[in-house]
Amino acid sequence: MAQGYPPPQYPQNGYGQPPQEYGYGQNPYAQQPQPYGQNPYPPHGRPAPQPFRYQPRPVYTPDEVPAPPETSNWRRFPAILIDCLVAVGPAFAVADQAGNPGRNGAPASVPWIVALVATGLVLSFVNQVLLARRTGFSVGKGVMALRVIRPKHVMRPDTWRLTRRWLLGFVFLLFTWLAEEFEGAGDIVGVRTVRWKHLREYQQAVARLS
């Protein structure tokens, strides 16, 4: 009769269980696997990237597109200065011509200061009212790429509104220079000075929604 082999003997670890290094148990020092996409140790100390969250853009109708904003003082003040030079420069030439004595020592027909003020006001009115009504800008605003609009309907202002704005502009400039600071005029009599760039963007947005 053949004698059977005795069962294998394993070294005991004090608890009656096979040792862990033989593969019968789990390594208590093994690191648990991390879920995919979570890195607890980002490189170079940067935070882990956050998931992208889509934020829909506001949907407007043609009537709800915001009007172009008021231009900055850095563009408005040079435009006013150019418009003043356009009116005052020729006015000095006309005043010098009208205020000089005529031939044979005849007295001047118009005093120098009267000719200066009258010519300057006429040129200023033609530039800032009539020209702006026709084209949407004066000479100074055209050089600085500005336009005048009515913010309520984003359209070119009429002659009466431009005239009132022209008259109130002298009072505004007077108080501005007395206060030694230049602040935005805002929407005087419902007329706003905007950048031509912003006006074109508004027109393109309205055209796409129409």
Side-chain angles (χ1 to χ4, degrees):
M1 181 174 181
Q3 185 178 0
Y5 293 96
Q9 300 294 327
Y10 299 100
Q12 301 296 325
N13 54 5
Y15 298 95
Q17 300 294 336
Q20 301 295 336
E21 57 269 21
Y22 287 96
Y24 294 98
Q26 296 181 354
N27 187 358
Y29 302 100
Q31 185 177 5
Q32 297 296 329
Q34 297 293 333
Y36 177 76
Q38 297 182 3
N39 184 7
Y41 304 103
H44 308 292
R46 293 177 296 181
Q50 299 295 328
F52 174 76
R53 295 181 179 179
Y54 175 74
Q55 296 181 355
R57 298 178 60 182
V59 179
Y60 297 105
T61 62
D63 297 334
E64 296 176 346
V65 177
E70 182 82 13
T71 186
S72 63
N73 295 335
W74 297 102
R75 287 182 174 272
R76 187 188 298 111
F77 185 74
I80 294 177
L81 182 60
I82 294 174
D83 287 334
C84 291
L85 294 178
V86 168
V88 174
F92 270 105
V94 174
D96 290 339
Q97 185 67 25
N100 289 331
R103 295 181 179 180
N104 301 325
S109 57
V110 180
W112 183 86
I113 187 64
V114 175
L116 176 66
V117 173
T119 305
L121 290 177
V122 170
L123 293 177
S124 178
F125 180 83
V126 172
N127 178 34
Q128 301 192 44
V129 177
L130 300 183
L131 181 61
R133 178 68 182 92
R134 182 69 178 178
T135 61
F137 58 90
S138 61
V139 174
K141 294 180 178 63
V143 173
M144 299 303 299
L146 302 177
R147 296 293 186 271
V148 288
I149 62 170
R150 290 189 60 186
K152 184 176 181 180
H153 303 289
V154 191
M155 58 183 299
R156 192 176 302 171
D158 55 18
T159 305
W160 174 236
R161 286 185 180 273
L162 290 173
T163 302
R164 287 189 296 170
R165 190 176 189 274
W166 175 69
L167 293 174
L168 292 176
F170 292 105
V171 180
F172 169 74
L173 289 178
L174 177 61
F175 281 103
T176 295
W177 288 333
L178 290 178
E180 296 183 356
E181 60 181 2
F182 187 80
E183 297 294 340
D187 298 342
I188 299 180
V189 298
V191 178
R192 177 183 298 179
T193 304
V194 301
R195 293 185 61 179
W196 184 27
K197 171 185 176 181
H198 296 161
L199 181 59
R200 286 186 300 174
E201 293 175 352
Y202 169 84
Q203 294 172 348
Q204 294 172 359
V206 172
R208 287 193 300 265
L209 296 174
S210 301

